[in-house]
């Protein structure tokens, strides 16, 4: 067995070498290398021993051990050095930035115009997200959602029906060098002029046992507001999409015992004059993935230390509550194809006359407060 680079594999591919992805279904949802087939380690024994294979995992450790086992059994097997992370970075650096950028932009204007671009502009109109004179900080995490959001804002600027400005910023809260490099390479190939600033948030929350992700998100939000304000911005744009919204609704009901949603825009409570907007609010995640795969792009997932631990098998809690909700919605959709739309609409069609209790600006209101003052109604 020997470790090979992505470039070396491409040469072996011409000789019939097959590419096997050993990552979990959750990891491969973020994208796979072109031509790869996902397999579990226990299924490798069923491979044709006459056909050479190249295995890869997240960072190369699991695939190296599996390739060694196959080689000891007499099979020609290789492991992709550095795994998925190193391969996609090598692949990106081998591509022409101008061609990559032009293809990505054209696909938003043509192939994904209806499903991505039109829903982006619809959200801006429906929720009044962009106004004349705005200076918007487009916050890029390195994932598919924030990257396509950056391209959409660039497209919006081309139309420029009224004056507004955008700035593209990346906060590095403690990424590994490989993840930081991937963000910068993707930004370069997509023609996004990012400004990067650093923080130590990952280190600050790594030893927190209770709700580290919640604390991390709150801390990141504060840093984003602060840096955006220093750039002269009055708004920050985050890349949450339609699926994030409906998952948040269900998570609140099933795990939090409350009815609430992820709002399309919010005034900041700690940074006066600042506002948060979510212009991807009406865009389906499946369409973002389709855009990513059509353009053969590879982006980060969470990339925090907790995610790194999960993908290398060091964390027993790799299945998040959000992942559970995704699975639940997928199962319900098999019975009712309209379930996602109905969940979304549920927070637009709230009837306070049939709600036991609700809060408004922190004040609790109970139906008994006004029950005896209302006119009698028919039984419901």
């Amino acid at each position: 067995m020997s470790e090979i680079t992505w470039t070396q594999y491409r040469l072996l591919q011409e000789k019939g070498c097959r590419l096997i992805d050993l990552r979990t279904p959750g990891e491969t949802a973020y994208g796979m290398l072109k031509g790869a087939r996902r397999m579990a380690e226990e299924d490798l024994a069923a491979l044709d021993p006459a056909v050479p294979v190249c295995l890869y995992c997240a960072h190369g450790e699991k695939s190296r051990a599996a390739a060694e086992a196959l080689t000891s059994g007499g099979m020609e097997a290789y492991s992709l050095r550095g795994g998925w992370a190193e391969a996609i970075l090598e692949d990106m650096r081998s591509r022409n930035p101008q061609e990559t950028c032009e293809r990505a932009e054209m696909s938003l204007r043509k192939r994904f115009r209806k499903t991505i671009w039109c829903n982006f502009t619809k959200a801006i109109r429906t929720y009044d997200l962009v106004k004349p004179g705005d200076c918007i900080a487009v916050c890029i995490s390195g994932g598919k959602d924030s990257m396509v959001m950056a391209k959409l804002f660039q497209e919006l600027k081309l139309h420029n029906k009224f004056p507004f400005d955008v700035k593209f910023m990346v906060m590095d809260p403690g990424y590994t060098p490989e993840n930081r490099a991937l963000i910068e390479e993707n930004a370069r190939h997509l023609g996004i002029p990012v400004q990067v600033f650093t923080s130590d948030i990952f280190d600050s929350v790594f030893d927190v046992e209770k709700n580290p992700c919640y604390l991390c998100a709150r801390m990141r939000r504060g840093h984003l507001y602060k840096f955006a304000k220093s750039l002269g911005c009055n708004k920050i744009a985050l890349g949450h999409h339609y699926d994030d919204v409906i998952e948040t609704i269900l998570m609140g009901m099933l795990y939090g015992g409350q009815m609430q949603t992820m709002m399309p825009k919010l005034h900041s409570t700690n940074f006066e004059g600042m506002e948060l907007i979510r212009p991807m609010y009406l865009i389906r995640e499946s369409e973002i993935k389709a855009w990513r795969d059509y353009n053969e792009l590879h982006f980060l997932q969470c990339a925090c230390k907790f995610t790194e631990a999960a993908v290398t098998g060091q964390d027993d809690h790799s299945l998040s509550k959000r992942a559970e909700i995704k699975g639940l919605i997928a199962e319900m959709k098999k019975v009712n194809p309209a379930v996602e739309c109905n969940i979304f609409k549920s927070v637009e069609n709230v009837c306070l006359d049939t709600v036991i209790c609700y809060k408004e600006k922190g004040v609790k209101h109970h139906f008994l407060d006004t029950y005896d003052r209302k006119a009698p109604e028919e039984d419901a």
Side-chain angles (χ1 to χ4, degrees):
M1 189 281 300
S2 63
E3 287 189 302
I4 58 175
T5 65
W6 174 246
T7 301
Q8 290 172 324
Y9 161 71
R10 297 294 292 270
L11 296 175
L12 288 173
Q13 184 183 33
E14 299 175 2
K15 301 178 181 179
C17 184
R18 295 168 60 185
L19 186 62
I20 305 295
D21 191 328
L22 297 180
R23 296 177 302 155
T24 66
E27 293 173 83
T28 56
Y30 291 92
M32 298 173 63
L33 295 177
K34 188 175 182 179
R37 170 191 174 190
R38 197 194 77 78
M39 289 186 70
E41 284 185 84
E42 56 267 27
D43 296 329
L44 294 177
L47 289 171
D48 183 351
V51 180
V53 296
C54 178
L55 314 176
Y56 75 90
C57 57
H59 298 286
E61 295 89 352
K62 185 194 298 185
S63 60
R64 187 189 308 117
E68 287 175 351
L70 292 177
T71 301
S72 64
M75 189 172 180
E76 184 181 349
Y78 305 90
S79 173
L80 207 55
R81 183 185 304 160
W84 151 269
E86 190 171 315
I88 58 177
L89 188 56
E90 184 180 344
D91 180 62
M92 181 60 70
R93 286 171 171 165
S94 69
R95 298 169 63 175
N96 184 305
Q98 184 176 349
E99 292 177 359
T100 301
C101 183
E102 290 177 352
R103 177 181 171 88
E105 291 173 349
M106 187 57 65
S107 66
L108 288 174
R109 296 168 190 157
K110 300 290 185 180
R111 189 182 185 93
F112 298 97
R113 178 178 178 81
K114 182 178 179 180
T115 56
I116 295 183
W117 169 251
C118 289
N119 281 325
F120 174 74
T121 56
K122 181 180 179 181
I124 289 175
R125 293 193 307 271
T126 302
Y127 304 115
D128 197 20
L129 301 182
V130 181
K131 299 179 180 179
D134 277 345
C135 184
I136 302 169
V138 179
C139 302
I140 300 173
S141 66
K144 66 185 189 313
D145 308 324
S146 59
M147 283 293 188
V148 73
M149 178 175 67
K151 294 308 299 177
L152 289 167
F153 265 108
Q154 286 183 323
E155 190 70 16
L156 191 67
K157 277 292 292 178
L158 291 177
H159 293 75
N160 223 21
K161 293 184 178 179
F162 52 79
F164 73 96
D165 197 11
V166 291
K167 297 182 185 296
F168 304 96
M169 66 184 202
V170 174
M171 180 180 67
D172 180 350
Y175 291 135
T176 63
E178 296 83 5
N179 286 334
R180 169 73 176 260
L182 179 59
I183 294 175
E184 293 173 339
E185 280 298 316
N186 273 321
R188 185 170 71 89
H189 279 73
L190 289 173
I192 304 170
V194 297
Q195 299 186 59
V196 183
F197 71 102
T198 60
S199 71
D200 59 355
I201 292 176
F202 283 173
D203 288 334
S204 299
V205 303
F206 187 63
D207 293 322
V208 176
E209 294 183 3
K210 188 176 181 180
N211 296 328
C213 294
Y214 173 78
L215 179 59
C216 179
R218 289 294 300 271
M219 291 178 68
R220 293 175 76 166
R221 187 78 54 82
H223 279 73
L224 290 172
Y225 272 128
K226 185 177 181 180
F227 188 67
K229 197 165 187 176
S230 73
L231 296 177
C233 299
N234 66 309
K235 293 180 178 179
I236 63 171
L238 303 184
H240 297 114
H241 47 66
Y242 185 98
D243 297 68
D244 290 324
V245 176
I246 62 176
E247 289 161 14
T248 298
I249 295 171
L250 275 191
M251 286 177 69
M253 293 174 63
L254 300 181
Y255 296 115
Q258 56 188 348
M259 185 67 181
Q260 63 179 19
T261 189
M262 179 182 284
M263 297 297 288
K265 64 179 181 179
L266 292 166
H267 287 294
S268 172
T269 55
N270 298 316
F271 294 85
E272 187 177 355
M274 295 294 292
E275 193 175 357
L276 179 155
I277 62 173
R278 295 184 170 105
M280 307 274 285
Y281 205 78
L282 302 178
I283 301 176
R284 298 305 311 267
E285 185 179 24
S286 59
E287 295 301 329
I288 300 173
K289 289 180 177 179
W291 174 82
R292 174 200 66 192
D293 296 341
Y294 175 78
N295 291 290
E296 298 181 14
L297 298 169
H298 300 292
F299 302 113
L300 293 182
Q301 41 191 76
C302 175
C304 74
K305 293 184 178 180
F306 298 101
T307 301
E308 292 295 315
V311 299
T312 54
Q314 302 168 22
D315 186 2
D316 293 332
H317 304 288
S318 59
L319 184 61
S320 68
K321 288 293 185 287
R322 190 168 291 275
E324 291 178 22
I325 291 295
K326 281 182 180 288
L328 177 61
I329 293 174
E331 287 300 312
M332 291 192 293
K333 190 176 179 181
K334 294 177 182 178
V335 179
N336 178 11
V339 68
E340 294 159 308
C341 181
N342 289 340
I343 295 171
F344 188 90
K345 287 182 177 179
S346 69
V347 292
E348 294 182 342
N349 298 318
V350 177
C351 179
L352 292 182
D353 291 332
T354 60
V355 172
I356 299 294
C357 184
Y358 69 93
K359 288 182 179 180
E360 184 177 15
K361 295 182 179 179
V363 179
K364 189 174 182 179
H365 301 272
H366 197 279
F367 87 103
L368 288 177
D369 296 341
T370 58
Y371 178 74
D372 289 328
R373 297 199 298 270
K374 290 183 178 180
E377 298 178 359
E378 293 184 8
D379 293 339

